Amino acid sequence: MAMTLGALMALAVVITAVWTLTESSPTSLADRFGDVEGLVSTALEALRACVGTDNLSPQDHNLAHQLLASVASVTGALAPAVVLGIVLIKLFALRPFIWRKRASISHAWAADFPGYARAHADSEDGIIAVRFYNYLDNLSVVDLRARVHLRYLERSPHDGSLVIYKKWLKVLDEKGEPADERAWLAVERGAPFTVWIPLDAPAHTLPFREIQGKDLADSVGVKLLVRLTARTVGLGTEVVDERWFDLDGDDFERGRFVPLHADTAVDVWDWQGWAEFDEVLPDEGRPPGVLPAPRDAEVLPAPRDPTATG
């Protein structure tokens, strides 16, 4: 808006200068340019004409004035439409989310859900983590939902042509269970959010070639799409954002992302780990805190009393 207003003001100044130069008047050119009040009045009239609220009055039989008045009128007709278009685009095409540069792939037991981690403690299956955050200070986002689908191309068995296929993928919900989507009630500014996508298969090397039962060995053009939908508080508009991850590109990396330690006493940008948001931790095996799922209870012998003899 400021740039548009500045451009219109500059155009009004140019019109004023040319208008004064081409004006038919017994007054000398020096006196005309020395009349500051008259110049300001003409400039303001030209500015109003350029925004479509007034018209310039050209002198009779003055072709230059006729051309300048026409330029101001055309600008005044187009400027409101351009400004309105900019406002609407900014209002309805909000993209408040910043995505982590790459999706990380780690062992399934590295997920943030204790139950899911314990259930996969002895598994070699991998899991994809996609992270993002809301970077806008003055925009509250609520009812955020994330869905994921896989797009791949395969040869038709009939004519050998490439056919595009799409497959909805399961994500972990708030309970750490596979679901069609992940939902959050509110989105705090700057706080990282993670979409966990189980592979249900090992991923010892990249690119992985199996996800949730789909063998991708014969597929080409494989991409993962993560789509976010939400609503804004106050504006009431819908926010839609998405990120494509190319399986054969540089969009995936092995390792668990560096965690952020939430601290409500300080600003989110000062949280421990924030500076390493795009980095990963080395894969050093299962941490001690992740234990396998409990088995059936066993009757163990009572511990021996160290003071007993024999």
Side-chain angles (χ1 to χ4, degrees), residues 16-160:
T16 300
V18 179
W19 188 279
T20 305
L21 282 171
T22 58
E23 185 179 12
S24 298
S25 173
T27 307
S28 66
L29 188 60
D31 289 339
R32 276 180 275 163
F33 276 101
D35 184 7
V36 177
E37 184 177 352
L39 290 175
V40 173
S41 177
T42 304
L44 292 176
E45 186 178 0
L47 179 60
R48 292 194 297 270
C50 289
V51 298
T53 61
D54 201 351
N55 293 304
L56 288 173
S57 300
Q59 291 180 330
D60 294 335
H61 310 295
N62 190 325
L63 181 59
H65 279 201
Q66 294 288 346
L67 291 174
L68 292 173
S70 298
V71 170
S73 296
V74 172
T75 303
L78 296 178
V82 173
V83 173
L84 181 60
I86 294 173
V87 171
L88 290 178
I89 290 174
K90 291 296 184 180
L91 185 62
F92 296 107
L94 294 174
R95 301 195 67 177
F97 300 110
I98 296 294
W99 300 79
R100 191 175 181 274
K101 293 180 181 178
R102 297 185 181 92
S104 63
I105 300 181
S106 55
H107 288 94
W109 44 255
D112 283 335
F113 303 96
Y116 183 87
R118 286 195 299 268
H120 292 80
D122 293 328
S123 172
E124 291 297 320
D125 287 354
I127 191 168
I128 301 173
V130 177
R131 307 195 89 192
F132 58 91
Y133 64 91
N134 171 24
Y135 74 96
L136 295 179
D137 290 333
N138 57 350
L139 183 68
S140 298
V141 180
V142 296
D143 295 333
L144 175 64
R145 299 179 183 275
R147 301 193 72 177
V148 180
H149 86 246
L150 184 73
R151 191 213 68 180
Y152 56 94
L153 286 75
E154 291 184 351
R155 296 285 178 183
S156 168
H158 302 289
D159 53 20

